[in-house]
Amino acid sequence: MRLIHAMASTMIAAACATGPALAAEAFPEKPVRLVVPQAPGGASDTLARIVAQALGQKWGQPVVVENRAGAGGNIGMEYVATGGNDGHTLLMSYEGSHAINPALYKNLSFNVQRDFAPVATLATLPFVAVTRASSGIKDLPGLVEAAKSRRVTYGSAGNGSVNHLLGEMFNSAADVKMVHVPYRGAAPAIQDLLGGQIDVVFTSLPSVKGYIDAGTLVPLAVTSAKRSPHAQNIPTIAEQGYPTFDVNPWFGLFTASGVSPEKVERMNADIRTLLETPEIQQKFAAQGAVTYATTPEQFAKQVDTALERWAEVVKSSGAQVE
């Protein structure tokens, strides 16, 4: 009898110990929503669709990309923050909106540290300063010379966007005063750049790669400290006289806080496995992105660091959105 009780106790203990693991193994149990808080066509949207297709195949469940743009990304972020904690709703975010918005908007309905659980980083992707081929500006020294001799305008995705703040950071570094022209998104800024209404745009490499390849836009510099391995011909801002300039935003997936650690770890492990595959690396490389894998804990530290850094940039720029 004692032997039977002992065996029963052992089986119950084993079941309790493996319960969370089995639950994680069963995840996902239904289609997954991957919310992109920006309009289609940008870097976040492009990378999200690559990952969604691969995760859908791996999980045997559809991973559906939903674009919920507006308010600098806040609409989509709020949707995920309040979308339940079963792990079936994910947020595709990036350093720009995730770390800048808390310093930029006074009355956010969510807290990025409290209301989101970091799941996995996906990639780093430098921004690039571009001008139209007919502008007469051929390189970064040429941009500085132009900005010191005449009125030079640069477009952005809106006040306080990473595009805007990059321009202000460059103004400060180069001691120039390019004039900021905000748009409702990066796409209309790029269209006005092509049309000659503005002179420069700081934007993600994927959003202008086709124009660069076609020769209609001229890349002046990438914003990362080192050249992009997928755009080795584009020099950095740092190597052209501004050695401390380094902006190389991360892109990654979050879910609402309260999702079980087992599910987060499961998703993280699956995503890291995908990032190691030649297929994903090649698809990211085609967009100018470099795969970047971390644990959830490492990702959380990245978020904390980015929040501190961009809070200082926003403060020094004076940007504010009600």
Side-chain angles (χ1 to χ4, degrees):
M1 185 65 70
R2 288 180 180 177
L3 179 59
I4 293 175
H5 280 302
M7 292 176 62
S9 298
T10 300
M11 292 173 66
I12 292 171
C16 291
T18 58
L22 290 174
E25 288 175 5
F27 178 84
E29 303 166 332
K30 59 184 180 180
V32 175
R33 291 178 175 177
L34 177 47
V35 175
V36 177
Q38 285 88 29
S44 292
D45 180 68
T46 302
L47 297 181
R49 293 181 186 278
I50 293 171
V51 170
Q53 182 181 20
L55 282 177
Q57 293 171 350
K58 188 172 186 64
W59 286 343
Q61 291 283 358
V63 179
V64 182
V65 174
E66 294 185 7
N67 295 90
R68 291 180 175 266
N74 292 333
I75 290 175
M77 294 173 75
E78 180 182 33
Y79 179 82
V80 175
T82 58
N85 59 0
D86 65 359
H88 289 79
T89 301
L90 299 175
L91 171 71
M92 175 67 182
S93 198
Y94 88 111
E95 186 174 340
S97 57
H98 213 84
I100 291 174
N101 287 7
L104 185 66
Y105 292 83
K106 291 182 178 180
N107 300 304
L108 286 180
S109 61
F110 54 84
N111 180 291
V112 296
Q113 292 168 301
R114 181 192 65 221
D115 297 329
F116 296 100
V119 174
T121 48
L122 298 177
T124 57
L125 200 159
F127 276 49
V128 59
V130 290
T131 187
R132 65 188 178 283
S134 60
S135 71
I137 300 171
K138 304 300 182 184
D139 51 27
L140 201 67
L143 173 62
V144 174
E145 182 180 352
K148 289 185 175 180
S149 62
R150 61 178 174 85
R151 185 177 186 268
V152 171
T153 55
Y154 75 96
S156 81
N159 286 319
S161 64
V162 67
N163 323 76
H164 171 204
L165 297 178
L166 277 168
E168 294 304 315
M169 291 169 69
F170 184 71
N171 273 345
S172 177
D175 192 24
V176 295
K177 293 183 179 180
M178 294 188 299
V179 178
H180 175 226
V181 182
Y183 290 82
R184 293 192 174 188
I190 293 167
Q191 289 305 309
D192 266 11
L193 175 65
L194 290 165
Q197 281 73 46
I198 54 176
D199 300 304
V200 180
V201 171
F202 292 80
T203 189
S204 63
L205 190 53
S207 63
V208 289
K209 190 174 185 300
Y211 297 116
I212 292 173
D213 292 344
T216 52
L217 289 181
V218 176
L220 305 176
V222 291
T223 60
S224 52
K226 296 181 179 179
R227 294 194 184 198
S228 167
H230 310 308
Q232 287 281 3
N233 60 317
I234 306 177
T236 67
I237 292 176
E239 71 184 79
Q240 297 185 79
Y242 312 97
T244 61
F245 206 105
D246 179 18
V247 178
N248 193 29
W250 47 255
F251 290 71
L253 299 183
F254 296 80
T255 191
S257 62
V259 174
S260 71
E262 292 80 17
K263 287 181 178 178
V264 170
E265 290 290 347
R266 166 66 188 272
M267 288 188 282
N268 180 271
D270 288 345
I271 291 165
R272 293 177 73 180
T273 297
L274 289 176
L275 295 181
E276 293 174 356
T277 64
E279 180 183 6
I280 293 297
Q281 292 178 355
Q282 290 167 8
K283 287 183 177 180
F284 275 28
Q287 302 301 322
V290 178
T291 54
Y292 176 49
T294 61
T295 65
E297 295 76 18
Q298 290 169 332
F299 192 10
K301 291 181 180 178
Q302 291 274 35
V303 172
D304 292 343
T305 299
L307 284 167
E308 292 180 8
R309 178 189 187 186
W310 287 106
E312 294 179 2
V313 175
V314 170
K315 183 178 179 180
S316 64
S317 74
Q320 197 72 57
V321 179
E322 297 295 334

